[in-house]
Amino acid sequence: MERKKPFYATPQDAEAAFYEALERADLDAMMSVWAEDEEIVCVHPTGPRLSGYAMVHESWRRIFDGGTRMRVQISNAVALQGMLLSIHSVHENITLAGEDKPRPPVVATNVYLRGPLGWRMLVHHASPAPPEAMSDTPKILH
Amino acid sequence: MERKKPFYATPQDAEAAFYEALERADLDAMMSVWAEDEEIVCVHPTGPRLSGYAMVHESWRRIFDGGTRMRVQISNAVALQGMLLSIHSVHENITLAGEDKPRPPVVATNVYLRGPLGWRMLVHHASPAPPEAMSDTPKILH
């Protein structure tokens, strides 16, 4: 039974749904976040550029089938909001299940497009930041 | 003496100027392509997320001072054109000076914003594609 497509009233709602789907490894929820009828683009960390629904869907299926569970906290957000497009640059602070500290951040550029079903993801481009980028996070000085 | 700022009538004009400045290692021309008065974002391949004019300017200064010269050919372009924002996803096929073949492609997400001086770059997010991505380019089959 197909789920009713959710409506995302803001790019922030779509982004929250994206990272929730990633944490829950929920393929249907993940693909509900992406724009339909557009040439969507997805670049996973260290991966090739994937374009079109079929390639993007297949990549998430493989990632979620891989069984790695993670928690993702977003920080360092920079956003530019247009009428129909919204651009977010964020740090993804990923903690893998069984680990107690986040990995060095992944830098993500997320682009959202407003359509008949509200805001949907058009581009997700993620790449690992070098470990030094950890110094962005607050530290206790000795 | 400061050069008069160019006017880019289309995102394609801004993109051509960006890659021309990169090939010529021309810092003034490079920075003319970027939006002013916006929180611009630049991610160089394997690098951290840089935001704001000062950080982006300094990164290009260092890259150009490094003295590496290159030719850049763009392929596999996917574009979404809005009224005020334009999103391009491209493969950068970079040939370093002294080498006769391009390196494996760099995937770039380029975002352009329309302002009083025409289209300007708002985001450049580049990351190396895995070597397999070379198979995107035409091959002779045996």
Side-chain angles (χ1 to χ4, degrees), chain A residues 53-68:
Chain A
Y53 189 90
M55 285 181 85
V56 174
H57 179 271
E58 176 61 13
S59 73
W60 287 112
R61 194 190 60 72
R62 285 192 201 183
I63 288 170
F64 293 159
D65 282 359
T68 307

Side-chain angles (χ1 to χ4, degrees), chain A residues 38-39 41 43 46-49 51 76-78 80 82 85 87 89-91 107-109 111 113 122-123 125-130 133, chain B residues 38-39 41 43 46-49 51 76-78 80 82 85 87 89-91 107-109 111 113 122-123 125-130 133:
Chain A
E38 297 290 342
E39 201 166 356
V41 168
V43 184
T46 76
R49 200 259 320 259
S51 63
N76 302 64
V78 173
L80 190 118
L85 284 165
I87 322 290
S89 167
V90 298
H91 278 187
V107 177
T109 300
V111 178
L113 174 70
L122 185 70
V123 177
H125 186 160
S127 61
Chain B
E38 298 290 341
E39 201 166 356
V41 168
V43 183
T46 76
R49 198 260 318 260
S51 64
N76 303 64
V78 173
L80 189 118
L85 285 165
I87 323 289
S89 167
V90 298
H91 279 186
V107 177
T109 300
V111 178
L113 174 70
L122 185 71
V123 177
H125 186 161
S127 62

Side-chain angles (χ1 to χ4, degrees), chain A residues 3 37 42 53 58 74 85 94 97 99 102 109 114 132 136 141:
Chain A
R3 279 191 284 198
D37 311 319
C42 184
Y53 189 90
E58 176 61 13
I74 297 307
L85 284 165
I94 296 174
E99 296 185 352
T109 300
R114 199 176 72 180
E132 308 88 86
D136 271 0
L141 295 174

